[in-house]
Amino acid sequence: MVEVKKRVVNLKMFIDGEWKDAENQETRPVINPANGEVISYAPEGTAADARSAIYAARRAFEEGVWSGISAQERASYLLKIADKIDAYADELTQLETMDNGKPLREAGFDVGDAAACFRYYAGMITKPDGQTYHVADPMQAMVVREPVGVCGLIVPWNYPLLMSVWKIAPALAAGNTIVFKPSEVTPVTPKKLFEIFEEVGLPKGVANMVMGAGAVVGNEIASHPEVDMISFTGGTKTGKHIMKTAADTMKKVSLELGGKSPNIIFADADFETAVDYALFGIYAGSGQVCSAGSRILVEESIYDQFVDRFVERAKQIQVGPGSAPGTEMGPLVSQEHLEKVLSYIEIGKQEGAQIACGGKRIVGDGLEKGYFVEPTVFVNVNQEMRIVQEEIFGPVVVIQKFKDEKEAIKLANGTIYGLAGGVFTNNGAKGLRVIKKLRAGITWVNSYHPTYNEAPWGGYKQSGIGRSLGTFGLEEFQEIKQININLQVEPIGWFSN
Ligand SMILES: NC(=O)c1ccc[n+]([C@@H]2O[C@H](COP(=O)([O-])OP(=O)(O)OC[C@H]3O[C@@H](n4cnc5c(N)ncnc54)[C@H](O)[C@@H]3O)[C@@H](O)[C@H]2O)c1
Ligand SMILES: C[N+](C)(C)CC=O
C-alpha cells in the first residue's frame, strides 16, 4: 500500500473548474480523530462562495455542456471516474481513515463501493427510460425524463466519500450540474474526488464543491432561487430545517436522515449468527451509521443468554486508530461528537438504565488524544427513555426484552424514526411477517447492514423522504415531462368562428 503522508496539503474548493480559497481567506482545521492532530486546513467558505458555485452550475446547465451531450458520453466520463477511484484506491482509503477515523478495512469497502456506484449509474443512464401511452386518437402521449437542473448536494461526515458518491453519481448521470457541500468535519476525501473530476476533464461548472459551515454555505444552497433541488443526507433536525428553507423557492427535496433502528432476535434464530450480526449492526463504524441496529430486541426466553454472550463479545472488540493493523473499531469523528455520545451515556445512567459493559471514554494505550469510546451496552431500559428514543450515533446499544411477535413489532415501531430494521429467526414465514410490519425503508432477515447500489435506500417516518440508489435514486434527480403530440393537425372547432 502506498503510504499517505500524515498531513494533507491545505484544501481548496472547486468552483467553475478552478481551485479556490474562501473569498475572505478564512480556514478551519481538519482533525484526525485518532490523535487530535491537524491534518490540513480547509477553506471556510462563505455565502458569496456558495453563490459563485451556484452561478457556475447554472451557467453550465443552461449552456448544455453536460445535459446537452449524449447519455453515452456522460456515461464515459462516469466510467473514467470509476477507473480513477480504483487507481487511487489506496490513497483514498488512507485519506478516508485519516479524515473520519474508520478502520482501513471499512474505508476500503467504501472506496470499492464508490467506484461501483459510478459504474452502476454509467450503465443505467444509457438504457431506455421513456414511456408511451395509449390515449384517445389522434393524440400520442409520451413521457421523457429530464435533469432537474442545478442540484445542491449536502452530505454528513460518517461516510465522507460514499455518501458524496451516492448523490453525485446519479445527479451527474441524469445530466444535472451540482453544487456539493461536504461536511466541514471531513472535507479531505471529497476534495480528492473533485481532483479526479478535474483529471477526467468534466466541463467547467458541471461539478462545484464549496466547503464550510452548514448554517452558512448549506443554508445559501438550500435557499438560493437558482438551485432547483436539494438532496441532503444528515440529521433529522437539520433535514427539517432544510425542508423549510427550501420550501420558499419550492425546490425538489430529497432527505436521507437519522435512525434508531431495531434489530429483533427471536429465540429460534441461529444464536451465534444473531449475536455476531447484532455486534456488527451497532459497532461497525463505531455506531456512526445511519442504519445502526442501536436497539436490539430479544425474545425473553433467550434474553439473559443473549446479553451475556453479546457483552462477552463486545468486550473483545479491538478499539484503536483506524490505521493500526488489527483495529476493529475506530474513534468517534470529533471532540464535539465524543462529548455528545458521552452525554447520552450519562443520560442513560440518570434515566436508571444499567450499563452491562463499556460506558467510558478510552484514555489508555496511547488513545488519550483521540476520541475513543468503549463499546457500550445498556440493559434494564424502557421504551420511554431518551437512550431508547433518540439517535446517539455512537457505539452505544440498548438491549430490550419482548415476550411475543406483537410486542416486538410494537417496540420496534415505537420511535419517530423508520430507517432500517433486522429480524433474526429460522422461521421464514415469521421473518417476512415481522419485516412487513416494520415501518422502515431498509430491512434484513438474518443479516444486518449490507447495502447494494442496485437497491433503493431511504427511510419511512422522520428518517427521510425519497430514495438513494437503484432506479429510484436516479429518478430523484430527474423531472418527468409529459409530451402530447397531435397526429391530425386541423382546427378543433370548439368556438364558433
Ligand atoms: N439516512 C441516511 O442514509 C444517512 C446516511 C448517513 C448519515 N445520516 C445521518 O447523518 C447524521 C450525522 O451526520 P451529521 O452530524 O454530519 O449531520 P448534520 O445534519 O449535522 O450535517 C449534515 C450536513 O448538513 C450541513 N448542515 C448543517 N446545518 C445546515 C443548515 N442549516 N443548512 C444546510 N446544511 C446544513 C452540515 O454542514 C453537513 O454538511 C445522523 O443523523 C445520521 O443518521 C443519514
Ligand atoms: C448508508 N450507509 C449505511 C452507507 C451509511 C449510513 O450512515
Side-chain angles (χ1 to χ4, degrees):
M1 193 180 252
V2 181
E3 185 86 22
V4 171
K5 288 197 192 96
K6 278 198 183 152
R7 212 175 166 292
V8 179
V9 285
N10 290 346
L11 306 178
K12 288 187 188 278
M13 306 186 287
F14 195 65
I15 300 175
D16 208 8
E18 310 277 336
W19 292 102
K20 296 250 164 83
D21 292 318
E23 46 105 27
N24 60 9
Q25 305 299 312
E26 285 191 12
T27 59
R28 139 188 332 239
V30 185
I31 309 291
N32 181 341
N35 53 24
E37 285 174 8
V38 175
I39 317 167
S40 184
Y41 287 87
E44 187 65 13
T46 64
D49 292 318
R51 284 193 291 277
S52 301
I54 293 166
Y55 296 141
R58 171 57 59 194
R59 197 209 61 244
F61 185 73
E62 300 303 337
E63 286 175 354
V65 292
W66 187 246
S67 60
I69 63 176
S70 71
Q72 192 71 55
E73 246 179 296
R74 281 205 302 277
S76 73
Y77 278 104
L78 301 193
L79 291 172
K80 280 185 209 154
I81 292 168
D83 290 346
K84 289 270 181 195
I85 292 175
D86 282 343
Y88 290 120
D90 279 359
E91 184 181 345
L92 279 164
T93 301
Q94 291 177 64
L95 289 176
E96 190 79 338
T97 291
M98 262 206 259
D99 206 10
N100 164 278
K102 61 179 68 191
L104 288 169
R105 175 171 66 164
E106 289 181 24
F109 272 111
D110 293 354
V111 172
D113 279 353
C117 189
F118 273 104
R119 289 201 178 94
Y120 176 73
Y121 283 110
M124 185 178 293
I125 200 63
T126 57
K127 304 298 176 291
D129 66 359
Q131 284 167 326
T132 59
Y133 299 89
H134 298 288
V135 295
D137 275 350
M139 298 300 291
Q140 173 66 59
M142 65 177 85
V143 151
V144 293
R145 292 179 184 277
E146 296 182 344
V148 179
V150 174
C151 296
L153 314 177
I154 302 176
V155 299
W157 45 254
N158 65 334
Y159 286 72
L161 179 68
L162 195 59
M163 291 301 92
S164 309
V165 168
W166 278 20
K167 295 189 185 307
I168 294 173
L172 291 181
N176 300 284
T177 58
I178 62 167
V179 178
F180 166 81
K181 191 193 103 53
S183 167
E184 53 275 46
V185 185
T186 54
V188 171
T189 21
K191 192 255 183 178
K192 180 70 196 171
L193 184 64
F194 274 72
E195 281 176 15
I196 289 176
F197 295 165
E198 186 186 35
E199 280 182 36
V200 305
L202 278 190
K204 281 184 176 203
V206 168
N208 306 275
M209 173 179 55
V210 190
M211 296 165 180
V216 179
V217 172
N219 192 62
E220 187 66 21
I221 297 171
S223 58
H224 201 284
E226 291 290 348
V227 175
D228 300 296
M229 171 180 179
I230 291 289
S231 177
F232 169 78
T233 298
T236 293
K237 194 169 161 216
T238 317
K240 288 179 187 178
H241 181 79
I242 285 181
M243 198 173 171
K244 286 180 194 156
T245 307
D248 278 344
T249 45
M250 203 52 81
K251 295 184 199 332
K252 190 172 180 183
V253 174
S254 165
L255 303 169
E256 299 284 354
L257 307 177
K260 189 78 181 179
S261 298
N263 195 358
I264 303 171
I265 319 288
F266 284 100
D268 64 4
D270 185 295
F271 184 79
E272 285 298 326
T273 303
V275 171
D276 201 49
Y277 270 107
L279 288 157
F280 182 56
I282 181 61
Y283 299 126
S286 308
Q288 304 168 114
V289 180
C290 53
S291 48
S294 49
R295 292 184 294 139
I296 303 176
L297 309 177
V298 184
E299 193 163 1
E300 61 185 356
S301 61
I302 59 159
Y303 183 82
D304 290 342
Q305 185 195 358
F306 183 92
V307 170
D308 287 349
R309 181 69 177 135
F310 187 91
V311 165
E312 185 186 7
R313 292 272 318 266
K315 285 179 177 167
Q316 290 166 13
I317 292 174
Q318 298 297 309
V319 183
S323 57
T327 290
E328 296 177 323
M329 194 180 99
L332 297 175
V333 76
S334 64
Q335 174 75 36
E336 189 187 346
H337 193 54
L338 170 79
E339 283 163 15
K340 178 186 157 187
V341 171
L342 292 175
S343 82
Y344 265 110
I345 293 173
E346 282 312 308
I347 288 168
K349 288 191 216 162
Q350 281 160 21
E351 287 178 317
Q354 182 194 332
I355 291 189
C357 75
K360 292 190 292 300
R361 179 177 185 178
I362 303 174
V363 287
D365 296 335
L367 301 185
E368 48 287 336
K369 290 191 178 146
Y371 313 129
F372 297 91
V373 170
E374 293 171 333
T376 299
V377 176
F378 273 112
V379 292
N380 286 351
V381 296
N382 66 55
Q383 190 72 3
E384 285 69 44
M385 289 179 175
R386 287 184 62 192
I387 56 166
V388 175
Q389 290 292 326
E390 297 175 20
E391 185 184 48
I392 300 174
F393 221 54
V396 181
V397 72
V398 296
I399 310 188
Q400 293 173 271
K401 196 185 288 183
F402 68 84
K403 62 176 180 308
D404 58 18
E405 212 175 298
K406 195 170 161 213
E407 188 184 21
I409 292 162
K410 187 166 179 240
L411 293 173
N413 287 333
T415 73
I416 60 164
Y417 296 109
L419 188 59
V423 175
F424 284 80
T425 171
N426 274 335
N427 178 335
K430 179 160 70 178
L432 188 54
R433 202 163 58 228
V434 173
I435 283 287
K436 287 191 73 173
K437 293 270 188 217
L438 282 191
R439 303 284 299 152
I442 308 128
T443 61
W444 300 276
V445 179
N446 293 325
S447 181
Y448 207 92
H449 267 333
T451 65
Y452 303 99
N453 286 319
E454 296 79 4
W457 180 277
Y460 286 21
K461 295 159 65 182
Q462 295 194 29
S463 287
I465 296 175
R467 292 293 178 270
S468 296
L469 300 181
T471 52
F472 300 93
L474 183 70
E475 286 166 11
E476 292 284 324
F477 291 102
Q478 293 176 318
E479 290 284 11
I480 293 173
K481 180 175 280 173
Q482 183 187 145
I483 303 176
N484 298 295
I485 304 165
N486 188 352
L487 303 179
Q488 203 166 320
V489 184
E490 57 187 30
I492 188 172
W494 185 269
F495 296 108
S496 52
N497 67 21

